[in-house]
Amino acid sequence: MGPHVEKHFTASETVRDIVIGMSDGLTVPFALAAGLTGAISQTHLIVTAGSAEIAAGSIAMGLGGYLAARGDAEHYAHEQTIEEHEVQAIPETEAKEVSDVFQTTYGLSAEECAPVVESLRKRPKDWVAFMMRFELGLERPDPSRAWKSALTIALSYIVGGVIPLSAYIFLSDAHSALRFSVVVTLVALAIFGGVKGHFSGVPILRSALQTSIIGGLAAAAAFGIARWIS
């Protein structure tokens, strides 16, 4: 028997960013194009408006992802500074908090915790890292997380937005393009959901169905609002 190899999915943040970008990209440009279809017969105008929305939306979404990731990093740094100060200023209190974590979370006795607590007290950096993770529940963020998140969300939004808009690029009749766009968007949502399920460990069929239904309802609601306004 070969060595046991554990397989765990470790790209949850990237998948989350792709989901954010793709889901919005598939619904918002579709709703805009669908809403314009009732008022404009020229597909090239719809493509122009849709392209402008994709450009603006991808920038806005990417910036939002960047600021969110930067906020997480700044929050971690702030809490780390506090923990470093407390380890130096009130070590007995912090040591008790370590013991409390082991006793309340893992059911260890005070005697079983004592050697671990003493070992951490001799290693301040590890002590702070322990408090950050197990007391505050914070993981050290990737330093490059902010720009990676921004780029992933923006590109995913562009890819998602081009899919429903492609029908208006290849078809000259706006109403025919709308019908084709609905089909293409639903198929894309199903494929996207299946891929997401594969990487996140969720059954592929269930993930595809959920994504199609949720995305379809979101697109339908956005379409209805856009048509009502126009």
Side-chain angles (χ1 to χ4, degrees):
M1 180 180 296
H4 172 66
V5 179
E6 293 189 3
K7 296 182 179 180
H8 297 285
F9 182 69
T10 58
S12 58
E13 290 183 337
T14 300
V15 169
R16 183 192 65 185
D17 290 341
I18 293 174
V19 169
I20 292 172
M22 282 286 291
S23 59
D24 278 20
L26 283 167
T27 55
V28 178
F30 167 77
L32 174 64
L36 290 174
T37 300
I40 301 174
S41 59
Q42 296 93 339
T43 55
H44 71 277
L45 294 179
I46 297 176
V47 171
T48 300
S51 299
E53 195 288 322
I54 291 174
S58 63
I59 294 172
M61 294 288 292
L63 180 60
Y66 177 85
L67 293 176
R70 285 290 300 172
D72 290 341
E74 291 170 357
H75 174 62
Y76 185 93
H78 174 70
E79 293 297 332
Q80 185 179 38
T81 300
I82 294 175
E83 287 298 329
E84 289 172 347
H85 171 73
E86 291 179 345
V87 163
Q88 295 294 328
I90 48 174
E92 296 302 326
T93 301
E94 291 296 291
K96 184 178 183 305
E97 290 178 355
V98 173
S99 181
D100 289 343
V101 168
F102 282 115
Q103 292 182 57
T104 58
T105 305
Y106 300 101
L108 274 66
S109 65
E111 292 75 16
E112 291 172 324
C113 297
V116 180
V117 174
E118 288 304 314
S119 178
L120 285 175
R121 294 187 66 163
K122 297 175 183 177
R123 296 176 292 168
K125 289 185 178 180
D126 293 333
W127 191 0
V128 171
F130 177 90
M131 300 303 288
M132 293 295 293
R133 182 172 184 179
F134 293 99
E135 182 193 24
L136 302 179
L138 298 176
E139 296 285 348
R140 180 182 296 277
D142 182 352
S144 60
R145 169 72 184 145
W147 70 263
K148 285 181 180 178
S149 178
L151 189 60
T152 301
I153 292 175
L155 290 178
S156 299
Y157 190 95
I158 292 171
V159 172
V162 168
I163 291 173
L165 199 62
S166 62
Y168 293 88
I169 297 175
F170 296 108
L171 297 176
S172 58
D173 180 68
H175 290 86
S176 297
L178 174 60
R179 289 190 291 269
F180 188 73
S181 181
V182 170
V183 175
V184 170
T185 301
L186 288 176
V187 171
L189 284 167
I191 295 174
F192 169 58
V195 173
K196 181 184 69 174
H198 170 74
F199 283 107
S200 60
V202 178
I204 293 176
L205 184 60
R206 187 178 76 184
S207 180
L209 186 61
Q210 287 178 341
T211 304
S212 298
I213 293 175
I214 295 172
L217 290 174
F223 165 70
I225 294 172
R227 288 298 297 269
W228 176 64
I229 294 175
S230 61

